[in-house]
Amino acid sequence: MRKRLGIFLAVVMASSLLFGCGSASNETENAAPAEQPEAQEEEAAAPAEEEAESAQETETPTAASDLKIGFSELDIDGAWRICQTESMQEQADERGYEYVMTNAEYDTEKQVADVEDLIAQGCNFLFIAPIDMDAIVPALDAAKAANVPVILLDREATGTWGEDWLTTIIADYVLQGEMCGQWIVDNTDASQDVKIVEITGVEGGSDVRDRAQGLRNIVEKTDNVEIVASQSGEWSRTTAQEVMENIIQSTGGEFDVVYCHNDEMALGVVLALKAAGIKPGEDVKIVAIDGQAEAIEGIIAGEINCIATCSPRFGPAAFDALEKYQAGEELPEKIINTETLITAENAEEQLEYGF
């Protein structure tokens, strides 16, 4: 049984009872709402009886035409986020939903305000890609107070599944880090010390936390491999290039592998290494995460060594989950996207799936 996110109002003899998802006593079976009878009016009835008989319960909308969908995107900067927003819009259009999207521009306060605005606009279902696990909590509270169901996309949030959100559609970010870490171990000399530089995304996101942990899960059980530097490239090609330039200067280029939390930053690292006279992919190996077409082309060119994919095409899974919920199906705590590892051996065939 999971909490029913909707308001059920019945007025009986001038009194009202309000049922929400805020307490255990308000739990209901997850089933499609039953049809409500037409209000009846009797001329001979007392005024209070007329009011009670004409009142109708407010149901959770079940048809596409009854839903106004809001999507709070954390930012639209870079190929991954652009592809995600396009995928969501395409699915909304194909399935006939009224759809509104906001761009938080990587500002946590703006994202909370965006969610509140979507609710004020009458959105009765929300998708949220949280910038920060903790900072998004006031937005989730606002949605819960308004009885608006929420599905989280590509990142986790602080709170409780079934109370603060219906499900989280996400990749296994720890696994992605482990895939990259294992590739490093398998493709470097076990008799030599291997020094890794890590370029992370913006701190605060569950993806950053988990991708970092995934790498460490492998490194910590491998005697000859160590992480010698870890700095944020802020998901940006330009910022990652600048960070890499500084690391090259401070270390004298004494490292063997650069592990990037996304492809966009890996492409910046390639530029920085080239400018320093270091051959990316040869002198220093580069591993990354996402599956951006330009980065896959980098593998084909020999400048990037491997990529653990992380597809941004969330639209089909997101709207499938919404419609399952509307049909009364119980959603799992997480819906995990499956990914693969791209190397020189399969880069040509994987290129068509790039974004």
Side-chain angles (χ1 to χ4, degrees), residues 235-294:
W235 303 118
S236 163
R237 185 180 309 199
T238 301
T239 302
Q241 181 177 354
E242 294 170 354
V243 168
M244 192 75 256
E245 289 169 352
N246 292 335
I247 292 174
I248 291 170
Q249 186 174 14
S250 64
T251 64
E254 293 297 319
F255 51 87
D256 306 289
V257 180
V258 181
Y259 166 58
C260 300
H261 283 202
N262 78 346
D263 289 344
E264 193 69 21
M265 294 189 295
L267 292 166
V269 166
V270 167
L271 296 175
L273 291 174
K274 284 182 173 180
I278 301 171
K279 293 182 179 179
E282 295 182 28
D283 299 335
V284 172
K285 299 184 187 300
I286 299 177
V287 297
I289 298 170
D290 271 353
Q292 190 171 329
E294 188 177 354

Side-chain angles (χ1 to χ4, degrees), residues 15 25 52 67 98 135 185 192 208 210 220 251 260 270 276 325 331:
S15 299
S25 62
L67 283 172
E98 183 177 0
V185 171
Q192 302 292 322
V208 175
D210 291 351
E220 288 170 2
T251 64
C260 300
V270 167
Y325 169 75
L331 298 180

Side-chain angles (χ1 to χ4, degrees), residues 77-81 154-155 170-184 196-201 205-216 218 234-237 240 257-270 285-296 299 303-312 314 337-343 350 353-355:
D77 182 23
W80 199 96
R81 289 289 161 189
D154 77 72
R155 291 186 175 196
I170 199 166
D172 189 335
Y173 298 129
V174 173
L175 177 61
Q176 291 170 353
E178 290 174 343
M179 291 167 70
C180 290
Q182 192 61 53
W183 187 92
I184 292 168
I196 301 173
V197 170
E198 179 183 35
I199 308 297
T200 77
S206 61
D207 50 355
V208 175
R209 175 201 65 194
D210 291 351
R211 286 172 179 171
Q213 186 60 53
L215 175 66
R216 284 156 179 78
I218 302 300
E234 300 179 353
W235 303 118
S236 163
R237 185 180 309 199
V257 180
V258 181
Y259 166 58
C260 300
H261 283 202
N262 78 346
D263 289 344
E264 193 69 21
M265 294 189 295
L267 292 166
V269 166
V270 167
K285 299 184 187 300
I286 299 177
V287 297
I289 298 170
D290 271 353
Q292 190 171 329
E294 188 177 354
I296 299 173
I299 292 181
E303 295 181 339
I304 295 175
N305 299 90
C306 87
I307 296 170
T309 62
C310 182
S311 174
F314 274 70
N337 296 333
T338 57
E339 311 296 350
T340 190
L341 193 70
I342 304 175
T343 65
Q350 289 294 321
Y353 305 111
F355 52 89

Side-chain angles (χ1 to χ4, degrees), residues 63-303:
S65 59
D66 297 327
L67 283 172
K68 183 174 183 179
I69 309 299
F71 175 33
S72 172
E73 176 64 282
L74 60 85
D75 197 10
I76 308 175
D77 182 23
W80 199 96
R81 289 289 161 189
I82 291 171
C83 185
Q84 183 184 54
T85 58
E86 289 175 346
S87 177
M88 293 292 289
Q89 183 70 61
E90 287 169 1
Q91 288 297 307
D93 292 344
E94 287 179 12
R95 303 186 194 213
Y97 292 101
E98 183 177 0
Y99 176 80
V100 182
M101 190 196 75
T102 57
N103 176 10
E105 299 174 353
Y106 236 100
D107 182 327
T108 55
E109 291 184 3
K110 185 177 186 304
Q111 184 163 45
V112 173
D114 285 348
V115 171
E116 292 172 344
D117 183 58
L118 289 169
I119 295 169
Q121 289 183 51
C123 290
N124 44 19
F125 202 102
L126 292 174
F127 293 109
I128 300 176
I131 296 171
D132 185 278
M133 293 181 66
D134 297 325
I136 198 62
V137 170
L140 296 174
D141 289 342
K144 183 161 61 173
N147 292 286
V148 176
V150 172
I151 288 178
L152 300 179
L153 298 185
D154 77 72
R155 291 186 175 196
E156 295 179 79
T158 300
T160 304
W161 164 56
E163 294 183 8
D164 299 302
W165 60 84
L166 300 175
T167 188
T168 302
I169 304 174
I170 199 166
D172 189 335
Y173 298 129
V174 173
L175 177 61
Q176 291 170 353
E178 290 174 343
M179 291 167 70
C180 290
Q182 192 61 53
W183 187 92
I184 292 168
V185 171
D186 292 343
N187 290 274
T188 53
D189 190 342
S191 67
Q192 302 292 322
D193 290 337
V194 177
K195 298 179 179 180
I196 301 173
V197 170
E198 179 183 35
I199 308 297
T200 77
V202 179
E203 295 296 328
S206 61
D207 50 355
V208 175
R209 175 201 65 194
D210 291 351
R211 286 172 179 171
Q213 186 60 53
L215 175 66
R216 284 156 179 78
N217 289 348
I218 302 300
V219 169
E220 288 170 2
K221 60 184 181 182
T222 309
D223 293 337
N224 69 311
V225 180
E226 65 173 326
I227 301 167
V228 297
S230 180
Q231 293 187 33
S232 175
E234 300 179 353
W235 303 118
S236 163
R237 185 180 309 199
T238 301
T239 302
Q241 181 177 354
E242 294 170 354
V243 168
M244 192 75 256
E245 289 169 352
N246 292 335
I247 292 174
I248 291 170
Q249 186 174 14
S250 64
T251 64
E254 293 297 319
F255 51 87
D256 306 289
V257 180
V258 181
Y259 166 58
C260 300
H261 283 202
N262 78 346
D263 289 344
E264 193 69 21
M265 294 189 295
L267 292 166
V269 166
V270 167
L271 296 175
L273 291 174
K274 284 182 173 180
I278 301 171
K279 293 182 179 179
E282 295 182 28
D283 299 335
V284 172
K285 299 184 187 300
I286 299 177
V287 297
I289 298 170
D290 271 353
Q292 190 171 329
E294 188 177 354
I296 299 173
E297 290 170 349
I299 292 181
I300 296 169
E303 295 181 339

